[in-house]
Amino acid sequence: MTTTTLSPEIGRSSLTFVDSHHPDRLIEVNFYRPAGHGPDDPVVIVQHGMLRNGDEYRDFWIPAAEKHRILIAAPTFSDASFPGPESYNNGLVIQDGGSVRPVEKWLYGIPARVLAALQEGGVTRRAKAWLFGHSAGGQFAHRMLATQDHGSFEAVIAGNPGWYTLPTLERSFPEGLGGLGFDETSIARWFAYPMHIFAGDQDISTDDPNLPAQAEALRQGPHRYGRAQFVYDFARREAERLGLPFRWKLIRVEGVGHDGAAMSRAAAAYWFEGRIPPAEELITAEVGAL
């Protein structure tokens, strides 16, 4: 499979990525490449929220990028090319008529192909990237792990998703993994990956107009923080019932609400400094974008 070669310049830049499976839906990838970044230094792929603001999410990571020599790549799935949650959060898996698209058309394969394009461009020799998604991007991130090979990812954090796909074949996608052709082996593979759910303990609004409010989401709890606990408990019990290894972690980020900037700082510190900073270090005067 051919991919677009990506070779971002030093500093901020934006390059158009033409995915071979979606050549008519261009993806703008927002980069930050520190002057000190070498081909063996980390690559972090950042999945934006519902505002489709990859440039802002890229910027949230710049201080960490400079401190730890990280190449940041934040693909933007524009509303024009990928309208609505079905085309981003839910990965273009289900067509309008309800049928399932071919697996290669699912958007969840794109982050691995962005990494491959960076490898082809000679920017990185890393075999794996870190991936962080917040809000709608957190929905994207955990569904990516549920449906894709994990070989391209060093670690994955889903931050403050509005709701979750449950690790069960008994419910249809996106509430569960039913109807996609998966089996228990697929569930076992997902359980075995050390997926981290980052949940801001102040992300407890029940009247946020952007909070998913369909029946399937409401069954998971009244707010995002509660839904994180729900999916973790559901998954842990299911793994125990099936006798499967379970490596997920639920990380409570104290004092933080639905704040993409603060959660980005928390993820960066967790991965590259081995800590979750206190709320006063994470939160700035302005709440980060969705």
Side-chain angles (χ1 to χ4, degrees), residues 161-182:
W163 76 301
Y164 296 84
T165 292
L166 302 175
T168 177
L169 302 174
E170 302 302 314
R171 307 186 196 187
S172 297
F173 188 82
E175 185 181 12
L177 290 173
L180 301 184
F182 293 134

Side-chain angles (χ1 to χ4, degrees), residues 117-255:
L118 289 166
Q119 293 163 343
E120 288 185 18
V123 177
T124 184
R125 288 192 290 258
R126 300 290 298 227
K128 298 183 179 184
W130 285 255
L131 186 140
F132 168 78
H134 182 256
S135 194
Q139 292 187 47
F140 184 102
H142 85 275
R143 291 182 182 123
M144 180 195 76
L145 285 180
T147 61
Q148 300 293 310
D149 180 82
H150 301 152
S152 296
F153 305 105
E154 199 78 52
V156 174
I157 290 173
N160 291 338
W163 76 301
Y164 296 84
T165 292
L166 302 175
T168 177
L169 302 174
E170 302 302 314
R171 307 186 196 187
S172 297
F173 188 82
E175 185 181 12
L177 290 173
L180 301 184
F182 293 134
D183 56 19
E184 191 177 298
T185 303
S186 307
I187 302 284
R189 179 180 54 81
W190 190 17
F191 283 155
Y193 187 87
M195 180 175 80
H196 286 31
I197 299 170
F198 269 40
D201 70 359
Q202 297 305 301
D203 198 350
I204 53 176
S205 172
T206 57
D207 58 2
D208 177 354
N210 297 312
L211 178 70
Q214 67 269 42
E216 302 95 319
L218 292 172
R219 283 197 287 269
Q220 298 180 7
H223 45 62
R224 294 182 184 91
Y225 183 63
R227 293 173 189 180
Q229 187 67 60
F230 175 89
V231 73
Y232 179 81
D233 290 344
F234 181 101
R236 181 176 46 78
R237 288 194 305 268
E238 191 69 1
E240 288 174 0
R241 184 181 72 83
L242 296 170
L244 296 171
F246 182 66
R247 300 188 65 200
W248 297 11
K249 287 187 179 179
L250 175 61
I251 307 292
R252 181 165 64 102
V253 183
E254 296 183 5

